[in-house]
Each structure stands twice: as C-alpha cells, then as structure tokens.
Amino acid sequence: MGFLTGKKIVVMGVANKRSIAWGCAQAITEQGGEVIYTYQNDRMKKSLEKMLNGDEFLVECDVADDDSIKNAFDQIKDYAGQINGVVHAVAFADKDDLQGNVSDISRKGYSLAQDISSYSLIAVTHYAKPLLAEGSGIVTLTYFGSQRAVPNYNMMGIAKASLEAAVRYLATEFAQDQVHVNAISAGAVKTLAVTGVKDYNKLIQLSQERTADEVSVTTNEIGNVCAFLVSPLASGVIGETIFVDKGVHLS
Ligand SMILES: NC(=O)c1ccc[n+]([C@@H]2O[C@H](COP(=O)([O-])OP(=O)(O)OC[C@H]3O[C@@H](n4cnc5c(N)ncnc54)[C@H](O)[C@@H]3O)[C@@H](O)[C@H]2O)c1
C-alpha cells in the first residue's frame, strides 16, 4: 500500500529508461498507483513496450496535434473513466535554437518550441479536465534556465519561463475544482532531450559541481517528488515551481 493506491496517473514523455518521465512512472508505481502511458509516435511506442510488462494501457499522443490529444484522452476515458493525475514531461526545440545567439532565433523556431514545450500543457489540461477526479494533481517539468541565462539553453529557457507562468494561471483555475497544478524544476540529467543543447556535457558537469554534495540529482529523486505532487497529499501546493536539483539553484 502506498499513497497512490487506487489512483490512475497519466504519464506523458517516456522515451527510454533515462527519461525523467520514467523516473516519475516508477515512483508512482512504487506508491501503488497505476500509470497510463502516452507516447509521441511509433518509435517511442516500440521503446516503451520493451520497458513494460504488457499489462499497461498505452496510447499515442502527439502534443503538436489537438486531434491526437483529444483522441488520447477519449481513449483514456473509455479505459479508466476518471483519472487522478497527469505528468507532462514533454519538450522540444530545434537544435539551431539551443546554441548560438538568441537574437538569431527564427519566428518558426520560437513557435515550435513554445508550442511543444509550453502550449502543450494548456492543450493537455483542456482535454484532461473532464476526466480529473477531485484531489488530482498535474505536474510539469521545467529547468532553471527559465530564470537564468544558462549557456546555449536559449530558446528552451524562454519556453520554460512561459511554461512556469502557464502553471500559475492553470493552478488558479484548476484549484477551483480541487485539482492542484505544479512544476518541478529538475536538475540537469543526461537524457535524450538534453543532448539537443550544444555542449550539454558542460551544462551537466557545471550543474553537478554546483550541487550541495557534488552528486547530480537522479530521475528517481525527481520521480519521488512527482509522485507526491500528483497525490492528494499535495493539495495545499498550488502553482509552485519546486526545485529538485540537489541545491544547484542556491549558488
Ligand atoms: N534532462 C534534464 O536535464 C531536464 C532538466 C529539467 C527539466 N527537464 C524537462 O523534463 C522533461 C522530460 O525531458 P527528459 O529530459 O526526460 O528527456 P526525454 O528526451 O527523455 O523526454 C522528452 C520527451 O518529450 C517527448 N516529446 C517531444 N515532442 C513531443 C510531441 N510532439 N508529442 C509528444 N511527446 C513529445 C519525447 O517523445 C520524449 O519522450 C522535458 O520537459 C524537459 O525539458 C529536463
């Protein structure tokens, strides 16, 4: 028995075992929750299927496409009826916009990153809203580059600032239905997404050196906080961005 026993949580964004979403899914399962997985495309589906035991409910959800999001939550409704939480661990920006000058970012690159990395939370909450039981939690993933000018994080830093603002507004709206919305600002972890940032090894190394004990945060540690934040235990935490970075943001 854990604090998520009997709860059904949608986890979006597992690409492989290094994914932060996978750390979240593991922690939710450890607390007795059932994870409903969404995946971006067939390639991600294949990867996910290799990691699971075959009993889980999986559904395609490309957050760039409203019909795909609607269809995913329709299928989730048919399967589960109600859900108790959503973990949004999805982001994308063009490689060109994760290096060089911010003043060179194109309108197209800006829109793409904002669409997938920030607007998608709004679109997902729109379709998830009718399914969310009282006491549900929604969690998204952000990074310190929203507040500081981290070398090469560029476009994603701008998108994460927008995402964090969206969390505050959505949190105010959803709290009226007893649903809490929050963000985790995770420390740097070597995942597929991070490798898009130029010199990402430097970013990870710098982050590790700035932790309180020089040991980087793990996806397990991020997942544990996520499990708490989607649960009813976090009903008093509304619109927060909680650092899970082993203290990197302190220095
Ligand atoms: N890795 C880090 O250091 C770090 C730090 C802080 C925050 N984050 C954030 O954590 C979240 C998860 O990223 P990650 O680092 O685990 O990397 P990851 O590459 O494992 O996960 C990113 C996921 O986004 C999904 N995605 C991209 N475009 C999509 C689309 N159109 N539709 C549906 N899904 C789509 C990918 O399929 C993938 O599963 C992201 O929001 C990322 O910005 C990462």
Side-chain angles (χ1 to χ4, degrees):
M1 289 283 280
F3 57 76
L4 288 172
T5 299
K7 308 283 186 205
K8 294 187 175 78
I9 313 291
V10 176
V11 174
M12 318 182 73
V14 179
N16 53 47
K17 286 196 172 174
R18 290 180 169 211
S19 295
I20 292 176
W22 181 243
C24 297
Q26 298 296 103
I28 289 164
T29 308
E30 277 164 26
Q31 291 304 330
E34 177 186 345
V35 174
I36 295 170
Y37 294 86
T38 77
Y39 54 86
Q40 180 184 358
N41 51 33
D42 282 347
R43 190 164 57 86
M44 294 299 168
K45 183 184 185 188
K46 278 192 193 122
S47 167
L48 192 54
E49 279 174 341
K50 281 188 204 143
M51 295 157 62
L52 300 174
N53 60 31
D55 300 333
E56 300 83 353
F57 188 76
L58 325 180
V59 60
E60 181 170 321
C61 184
D62 178 349
V63 299
D65 176 0
D66 284 335
D67 287 344
S68 178
I69 305 173
K70 181 182 183 306
N71 182 46
F73 281 92
D74 283 349
Q75 287 194 49
I76 290 168
K77 187 180 178 196
D78 288 347
Y79 168 74
Q82 280 196 317
I83 56 172
N84 307 95
V86 178
V87 179
H88 170 274
V90 166
F92 185 77
D94 217 87
K95 251 189 153 122
D96 289 348
D97 299 330
L98 300 172
Q99 58 182 311
N101 297 324
V102 169
S103 60
D104 291 332
I105 293 171
S106 66
R107 197 176 292 270
K108 200 171 155 219
Y110 187 95
S111 302
L112 175 72
Q114 287 284 7
D115 188 19
I116 309 296
S117 313
S118 176
Y119 176 71
S120 66
L121 177 68
I122 294 178
V124 164
T125 55
H126 175 79
Y127 292 106
K129 197 173 187 178
L131 278 67
L132 289 163
E134 267 190 24
S136 294
I138 298 174
V139 177
T140 189
L141 270 301
T142 185
Y143 179 62
F144 191 39
S146 62
Q147 300 180 6
R148 300 284 176 90
V150 173
N152 297 314
Y153 198 65
N154 299 9
M155 184 56 233
M156 195 53 82
I158 298 168
K160 292 299 192 192
S162 149
L163 178 71
E164 290 170 24
V167 164
R168 289 187 284 274
Y169 283 96
L170 288 168
T172 309
E173 175 190 330
F174 278 67
Q176 291 160 33
D177 295 326
Q178 314 305 322
V179 173
H180 45 288
V181 183
N182 292 288
I184 290 175
S185 187
V189 183
K190 191 176 171 188
T191 61
L192 208 58
V194 128
T195 59
V197 181
K198 189 182 177 208
D199 295 334
Y200 67 87
N201 275 327
K202 275 193 204 155
L203 189 146
I204 291 173
Q205 194 192 334
L206 201 72
S207 185
Q208 182 167 346
E209 284 165 7
R210 289 188 182 177
T211 57
D213 59 0
E214 295 196 20
V215 180
S216 287
V217 73
T218 64
T219 53
N220 242 350
E221 288 171 315
I222 300 164
N224 284 335
V225 178
C226 178
F228 160 70
L229 279 181
V230 290
S231 83
L233 292 175
S235 61
V237 189
I238 305 283
E240 275 302 319
T241 293
I242 295 181
F243 284 101
V244 186
D245 68 351
K246 304 277 301 290
V248 173
H249 69 286
L250 297 174
S251 61

